[in-house]
Amino acid sequence: MSSRRFDDSDFVRACRRQPHERVPVWFMRQAGRSLPEYRAVRGAGSILDAIADPDRAAEITLQPVRRYGVDAAILFSDIVVPAHAVGFGVDVVPGTGPVVEHRFEARRDLQRLRLLDPASDTPYVIETVRRAVEMLDVPLIGFAGAPFTVASYLVEGGPSRHHERTKALMVGDEALWHDLMDRLADLAVASLLAQVEAGAAAVQLFDSWAGALSPDQYQRSVAPHSARVLEAVGATGVPRIHFGVGTGEILDQMGACGAEVVGVDFRVRLDAARRRVGPGRALQGNLDPALVLAGESAARDGARAVLAANGDDPGFIFNLGHGVLPASDPDVLARVVQVVHDEGRVRCE
Ligand code: 1CP
């Protein structure tokens, strides 16, 4: 299935800042615990089991498109799947997130991060993409974790608030840090290229925790590796989205990493974000996911404020500023989609 089949969709055209009909909208974590139909098919145990089952994973990928009428689907998978598949020893624990058996501590641990061969290591991801794309009438977004955010799980051993071990390695042993980032960049590239080959029409690089870094740390220790991933995928021609949380002070640097689209969280207004990212890039964001919990009227007002901050710039994809919270009411999210489609404006150039 060609990854170019959706080149005329509102979503892909907005990524490329081309004129289109309606403001496209999708939600990070749109598949997941907020949907009863997800809870019905997800099954018990590790999410990695559901991800390794293309029947279930393709069904979960489609669920939010059916329910919300969003303009894009996102592959049901997780950012630690490639590291898990090459045998690093990482699981995803319900209610917690990624947890590793033995933390990445020393040079010898690089051996646990061999190159990924998607066809033999993650055939189920390729199969899920193929099946989902066949059934979808909107573009499928493939994704990978950016090297820094994946490193933070491997080095900390699990979710972390301050990323202190990760920063200690980054600063204390620069040579090892860059070798680790190189390996993780290789995993991301291999995984993303396989997803595009199987039919993904766009990709998102999740650097969720990049906002924990100072601009200098980001520039020296992280940006070159994310830029390498984005550049390698650029050769496919599909649009690339680059997202992180709390990244207001590094939006210009993220823009310079090369993606067509920069994801913005709710801490920065879109008009300010646009100035920081600079010309030539589209933006994605940025309704505070907590407003969805505040009910329909608060969520609608919030969505209208986001639309107003964008004006009618064609380089815009509506999303939340981070993922859908598990307690969200699906009906409220459906109303947000409606407001965006009915009231969003796109300038014809
Ligand atoms: O069923 C479950 O166990 C629910 C929780 C869950 C889900 C639905 C996890 C555990 N992963 C996923 C799927 C997932 N993960 C998707 C596809 C679904 C969709 O978006 O619709 C995606 C894109 C991810 C990406 C992901 N995993 C990120 C980046 C996005 C983000 O939210 O910042 C991160 C940081 C992870 C790690 C992870 N996996 C799961 C959890 C709870 C976490 C976060 C842990 C933490 O807070 O550090």
Side-chain angles (χ1 to χ4, degrees):
M1 196 69 68
S2 165
S3 59
R4 310 305 293 263
R5 181 177 132 214
F6 290 103
D7 272 8
D8 285 331
S9 64
D10 287 340
F11 170 78
V12 170
R13 292 187 66 84
C15 289
R16 297 190 170 130
R17 305 174 64 250
Q18 296 164 337
H20 52 279
E21 299 271 311
R22 292 194 306 193
V23 172
V25 46
W26 68 281
F27 303 120
M28 292 181 278
R29 296 282 179 105
Q30 61 190 13
R33 281 170 298 174
S34 63
L35 288 181
E37 58 268 39
Y38 172 80
R39 297 195 295 270
V41 300
R42 153 81 163 81
S46 169
I47 195 174
L48 295 175
D49 297 335
I51 289 169
D53 173 2
D55 274 342
R56 252 189 299 171
E59 163 61 20
I60 292 171
T61 300
L62 263 62
Q63 285 176 346
V65 179
R66 286 191 208 116
R67 160 126 9 197
Y68 299 128
V70 281
D71 296 276
I74 182 157
L75 173 70
F76 181 70
S77 183
D78 195 80
I79 59 169
V80 296
V81 163
H84 164 72
V86 300
F88 184 83
V90 52
D91 199 357
V92 181
V93 176
T96 302
V99 173
V100 311
E101 218 171 317
H102 301 288
R103 282 200 303 270
F104 185 98
E105 288 179 321
R107 182 155 292 279
R108 63 174 183 279
D109 293 317
L110 286 171
Q111 294 163 21
R112 293 195 282 148
L113 288 169
R114 66 167 170 81
L115 286 173
L116 178 79
D117 174 18
S120 57
D121 292 324
T122 50
Y124 46 87
V125 171
I126 296 172
E127 188 54 30
T128 301
V129 172
R130 285 207 186 111
R131 287 192 201 182
V133 169
E134 225 172 74
M135 293 187 282
L136 279 165
D137 53 11
V138 294
L140 176 76
I141 303 168
F143 74 91
F148 170 72
T149 289
V150 176
S152 82
Y153 289 105
L154 307 190
V155 175
E156 303 293 337
S160 136
R161 182 179 289 246
H162 299 297
H163 310 284
E164 55 263 51
R165 285 194 175 97
T166 314
K167 290 182 185 181
L169 176 63
M170 177 188 290
V171 175
D173 190 343
E174 274 203 292
L176 179 58
W177 172 257
H178 285 293
D179 289 344
L180 169 60
M181 295 291 277
D182 265 336
R183 297 278 172 118
L184 295 177
D186 288 341
L187 289 185
V189 169
S191 175
L192 291 172
L193 291 178
Q195 293 172 52
V196 174
E197 170 84 7
V203 296
Q204 178 153 328
L205 190 64
F206 280 99
D207 210 353
S208 301
W209 313 135
L213 299 169
S214 75
D216 287 347
Q217 286 168 338
Y218 183 76
Q219 198 57 36
R220 184 180 174 94
S221 306
V222 172
H225 302 282
S226 294
R228 177 161 79 83
V229 175
L230 291 166
E231 192 185 334
V233 182
T236 66
V238 304
R240 300 155 293 174
I241 309 169
H242 190 188
F243 167 78
V245 180
T247 53
E249 297 300 323
I250 56 170
L251 280 176
D252 53 339
Q253 294 165 288
M254 288 181 71
C257 285
E260 284 73 17
V261 187
V262 176
V264 182
D265 88 352
F266 49 86
R267 293 168 182 85
V268 184
R269 254 172 55 149
L270 284 179
D271 43 356
R274 206 171 277 288
R275 286 192 294 275
R276 292 180 198 180
V277 167
R281 313 267 169 210
L283 298 183
Q284 174 175 280
N286 68 347
L287 178 68
D288 185 343
L291 291 188
V292 176
L293 304 185
E296 194 172 307
S297 133
R300 276 214 290 233
D301 289 350
R304 287 181 177 128
V306 170
L307 291 172
N310 181 64
D312 58 3
D313 197 300
F316 174 53
I317 297 129
F318 190 101
N319 205 312
L320 303 179
H322 196 187
V324 171
L325 295 165
S328 301
D329 175 350
D331 291 342
V332 175
L333 284 167
R335 304 301 277 185
V336 170
V337 171
Q338 224 169 31
V339 168
V340 174
H341 281 161
D342 291 349
E343 301 178 28
R345 290 178 302 123
V346 186
R347 181 169 71 236
C348 302
E349 291 186 318

